Amino acid sequence: MCGIIGITRAPVGDGSGRSDVLEVLLEGLGRLEYRGYDSAGIALVGPDASDGLWRARAANGTRSLKDLTKRAEDAPELSSAGIGHTRWATHGGPTEENAHPHVDCSAGLALVHNGIIENHVELADELVAAGHRLRSETDTEVLAHLIEVAVSDHPEIGLVGAVRAALGRVRGAFSLAVVCSDEPDLIVAARRVSPLLMGVTGDSAFLASDIPAILGLTRDFFVLEDDQMAELRPGSLRVTNFEGEEIDPQRITVDWDLEAARKDGYDDFMSKEMHEQPKAVADTLLDRLLPDGTLSLDEMHITNAELRAVNKVFIVACGSSYHAGLMAKYSIEHWARIPVEIDIASEFIYRDPVLDPTTLVIGVSQSGETADTRIAMEEARRQGAKVLVITNVVDSSMARGSDAVLYTRAGPEIGVAATKTHLAQITALEILALYLAQARQALSPHDARVLFEQMGVLPDKVALALERSADVEAVAATYRDSPSFMFLGRQVGYPVALEGALKLKELSYLRAEGFPAGELKHGPIALVEPGTVVIGVATRTPIWEKMMSNITEVKSRGATVVLVANDGDEETARQADAVLWVPETEYLFAPIIDVVPMQLFAYHLARLHGLDVDRPRNLAKVVTVE
Ligand code: M6R
């Protein structure tokens, strides 16, 4: 998840004054930093073709933009168009070489990109074989060189035609903006999946991936839709489809202020981030689920032979990441038939675990910096185990200190409560479970295909679950005065219950405990009395009947029961005082969907209590101490 901005503007006054293209870009990048701050960069062209292209980039974490601003003191006084980018690294570490804008071999054109080019490896091989020099590890850079190829093969098609030709070669998701010194007042933009908005005022035209970046310039925006391109020139905008046919772009007007815009109009970051979950899941699947019905995780650099040699998997994590690991335990054991142990990192470190080179230790951490998990990974490596880290932060301490990394692609998460990073973790772990099964030939090709198909539609199902937010709010309102909540689940529903309880604790400071429903009669049922609110995960799994027996047990002691149930499952609904509906899926994927109403419930209840959901008391986003 990155931020893009671009502006083309007629030179100020008589054309001899300093243009403010650079200032607009730097200010816009400042408002995009929440999209990522691994690096920041800009490219400027014009006003004459002979002025060439000027580029500056900086990769210094949260200081990237400051460093870039310093470097921009050397920028040309006058420029007619420019593009800027703030990066959240996904392909390639957070280095200056990997920072956008990327340029072609002659450094005459520059490009910023948000999204993922799925077939970048084969395209890079082809370009290198044809003599191109690729300087970064990113998936993006191939685009700059593909445009260069198209221009040099057919100069008459110009930049617009060349971008169109280049995009014909790529698979994946993109929003991008390109400038070229030969056409110095033009910005070419294109979109597939990743959003892009544009505006035109007076002698300017501009674009951005997010409204805040250009909200100071206009409140009227044009939306670039999927598979559309745009040509921006000072004071004009032309939108076409990929066949070149002109299109009337959709227009929107916003009445938000800047703070609201940073949150895309949501009241808080948590809500925004929950609504980004379909994209987080889709991006985490992208280029790993191949069109030929297989999975590819070559990025981990672990061979199939090494995966076949694994005798035991050990998952180690904290908090929500631990719950994601617990969900994956069921999948790895069921599909790949490898025994899985799981532990909370702070316990693992001091329990003298038995590991050897045939143990695959998986550390799960959205931040990649959590001290307990990081130390646990160090201990695992010391004992000779193979260490794989699943994290959302490229080049984080844990990513650097592991044998292999599998990145989630949720983009930066600002709300303290993990939401989109959690769903992305579960997704990555499910992919890993199936990948292990594929490597060990533990699944028939038919079963694998069915599962991959189900996986592909998970983002839509997450979106459907989110659409029920108002219904969940109504249920939360009904139980807003309850002093405590009991969460129950069995099998994969158990970690969902744990996550539901954790979210409620974190956000509303109420007593909320999660239990395996089968364990009730061994103690926790003593807590149940008339009026106790029990939230049960009762979506359809092979042991749904057993779960419903446990629900009957608490009901007969007077509990009020709220059940998470699959759409249309009236049999389950009849046992509930209130229902949180979710779409059905393969039961081992169900946590990805069933967690959503848990998040929404905690979110709405906390807001009903007037609490700050983005900054819950006593908590920090990253816990770097033991
Ligand atoms: O960055 P990590 O995933 O390692 O963080 C682990 C926990 O601290 C984290 O999941 C925490 O429980 C969150 N506040 C959950 O919302």
Side-chain angles (χ1 to χ4, degrees):
M1 204 164 97
C2 308
I4 288 178
I5 181 168
I7 179 163
T8 171
R9 176 170 270 184
V12 186
D14 62 1
S16 59
R18 186 182 165 84
S19 84
D20 62 354
V21 166
L22 175 65
E23 283 75 9
V24 172
L25 293 179
L26 289 174
E27 194 181 328
L29 287 180
R31 294 186 190 151
L32 284 174
E33 266 189 310
Y34 71 96
R35 302 273 303 188
Y37 41 74
D38 287 330
S39 62
I42 45 178
L44 302 170
V45 290
D48 292 316
S50 58
D51 291 327
L53 183 140
W54 184 88
R55 175 175 69 144
R57 299 175 295 170
N60 190 11
T62 50
R63 293 191 50 83
S64 298
L65 187 56
K66 267 207 177 85
D67 290 5
L68 179 70
T69 307
K70 183 91 193 109
R71 287 176 197 186
E73 286 170 8
D74 299 332
E77 290 240 316
L78 205 56
S79 43
S80 50
I83 52 177
H85 190 268
T86 168
R87 178 166 186 252
W88 179 259
T90 54
H91 287 67
T95 61
E96 196 170 315
E97 291 70 42
N98 292 333
H100 299 218
H102 288 285
V103 294
D104 64 334
C105 290
S106 69
L109 72 86
L111 168 143
V112 289
H113 165 232
N114 190 1
I116 296 167
I117 303 302
E118 291 185 50
N119 55 337
H120 69 102
V121 176
E122 63 196 66
L123 291 170
D125 288 348
E126 180 188 315
L127 287 161
V128 169
H132 288 259
R133 190 168 155 245
L134 273 66
R135 304 169 186 91
S136 76
E137 306 158 301
T138 65
D139 54 326
T140 299
E141 194 187 350
V142 295
L143 279 168
H145 293 268
L146 288 173
I147 298 168
E148 178 188 9
V149 171
V151 174
S152 83
D153 286 354
H154 299 284
E156 73 285 359
I157 62 177
L159 184 62
V160 175
V163 172
R164 185 174 292 127
L167 291 177
R169 302 284 326 274
V170 303
R171 279 200 317 270
F174 48 79
S175 59
L176 55 90
V178 192
V179 289
C180 172
S181 57
D182 288 343
E183 297 181 64
D185 62 358
L186 172 67
I187 300 178
V188 180
R191 168 190 170 159
R192 177 175 293 157
V193 184
S194 302
L196 209 56
L197 297 129
M198 302 159 299
V200 185
T201 54
D203 61 358
S204 310
F206 37 85
L207 59 82
S209 53
D210 303 72
I211 289 174
I214 46 177
L215 192 59
L217 302 172
T218 187
R219 293 204 163 202
D220 296 316
F221 299 94
F222 297 97
V223 182
L224 199 64
E225 308 276 358
D226 278 352
D227 292 345
Q228 291 182 355
M229 289 180 60
E231 299 157 41
L232 292 88
R233 293 189 170 81
S236 86
L237 169 70
R238 181 169 182 264
V239 176
T240 62
N241 61 19
F242 281 179
E243 283 71 51
E245 294 155 350
E246 195 155 346
I247 286 166
D248 223 1
Q250 189 206 338
R251 211 186 169 117
I252 54 165
T253 301
V254 301
D255 53 6
W256 312 330
D257 61 13
L258 255 181
E259 182 55 17
R262 246 163 62 84
K263 296 170 183 161
D264 279 355
Y266 290 100
D267 290 343
D268 37 65
F269 281 108
M270 182 176 173
S271 181
K272 173 175 181 276
E273 287 158 4
M274 283 192 294
H275 284 86
E276 286 172 348
Q277 293 184 120
K279 181 163 171 15
V281 173
D283 284 353
T284 301
L285 289 170
L286 209 65
D287 73 10
R288 289 160 174 167
L289 204 53
L290 299 182
D292 69 357
T294 58
L295 283 173
S296 163
L297 291 182
D298 293 349
E299 63 203 85
M300 296 196 309
H301 304 295
I302 307 183
T303 63
N304 279 355
E306 286 173 304
L307 291 177
R308 280 195 289 272
V310 170
N311 278 333
K312 185 171 80 176
V313 169
F314 217 130
I315 305 179
V316 185
C318 309
S320 294
S321 300
Y322 170 77
H323 299 155
L326 197 49
M327 293 161 189
K329 172 181 161 72
Y330 298 89
S331 305
I332 297 173
E333 290 191 333
H334 183 74
W335 287 326
R337 305 305 298 150
I338 311 174
V340 180
E341 267 200 68
I342 170 149
D343 213 343
I344 286 173
S346 52
E347 289 299 311
F348 173 91
I349 303 169
Y350 301 106
R351 69 176 259 205
D352 202 8
V354 182
L355 312 171
D356 65 39
T358 67
T359 315
L360 176 66
V361 177
I362 305 174
V364 188
S365 170
Q366 74 81 20
S367 62
E369 301 294 343
T370 302
D372 292 321
T373 316
R374 183 176 49 73
I375 296 167
M377 294 304 99
E378 286 164 10
E379 172 61 18
R381 282 191 101 187
R382 203 185 55 74
Q383 289 203 32
K386 197 158 192 71
V387 170
L388 165 69
V389 162
I390 296 184
T391 181
N392 197 45
V393 182
V394 172
D395 243 23
S396 50
S397 306
M398 260 180 256
R400 282 199 303 269
S402 62
D403 298 304
V405 190
L406 179 57
Y407 287 112
T408 52
R409 297 173 184 149
E413 190 172 67
I414 293 167
V416 165
T419 54
K420 62 174 181 170
T421 55
H422 179 59
L423 253 64
Q425 284 173 342
I426 314 170
T427 306
L429 281 157
E430 298 292 359
I431 297 171
L432 180 68
L434 287 167
Y435 189 67
L436 284 166
Q438 179 180 282
R440 298 161 75 95
Q441 295 172 333
L443 267 179
S444 75
H446 171 266
D447 289 352
R449 205 168 31 253
V450 171
L451 289 167
F452 295 160
E453 273 169 24
Q454 295 248 15
M455 217 174 201
V457 293
L458 283 171
D460 294 339
K461 293 189 174 178
V462 171
L464 266 177
L466 283 163
E467 278 174 22
R468 284 71 190 267
S469 180
D471 302 336
V472 180
E473 182 177 8
V475 177
T478 308
Y479 302 108
R480 62 170 288 171
D481 295 326
S482 174
S484 65
F485 293 83
M486 179 183 268
F487 287 76
L488 297 179
R490 289 188 80 126
Q491 205 189 27
V492 285
Y494 166 48
V496 174
L498 291 181
E499 179 64 9
L502 177 65
K503 282 286 155 293
L504 195 59
K505 267 190 268 242
E506 281 187 302
L507 297 174
S508 63
Y509 321 144
L510 292 170
R511 293 197 175 277
E513 294 304 330
F515 299 104
E519 187 68 5
L520 268 182
K521 51 192 159 305
H522 303 290
I525 201 161
L527 294 171
V528 178
E529 57 186 358
T532 303
V533 181
V534 171
I535 302 190
V537 184
T539 47
R540 293 287 171 152
T541 70
I543 59 160
W544 169 84
E545 278 178 4
K546 302 220 178 285
M547 177 66 197
M548 292 314 287
S549 306
N550 299 135
I551 292 302
T552 310
E553 287 161 18
V554 292
K555 275 177 63 136
S556 64
R557 267 99 186 157
T560 300
V561 172
V562 178
L563 293 180
V564 180
N566 288 130
D567 289 343
D569 183 357
E570 293 303 331
E571 198 181 349
T572 300
R574 273 196 290 279
Q575 302 301 320
D577 296 282
V579 180
L580 305 176
W581 296 106
V582 288
E584 189 169 3
T585 184
E586 149 68 33
Y587 81 96
L588 287 168
F589 294 147
I592 296 178
I593 297 165
D594 298 354
V595 155
V596 174
M598 298 296 189
Q599 298 169 341
L600 289 169
F601 185 82
Y603 170 82
H604 287 301
L605 203 83
R607 281 180 41 110
L608 287 163
H609 284 259
L611 298 168
D612 180 346
V613 289
D614 285 340
R615 285 175 293 262
R617 73 181 182 201
N618 305 340
L619 295 175
K621 185 72 189 161
V622 185
V623 185
T624 50
V625 288
E626 264 196 85

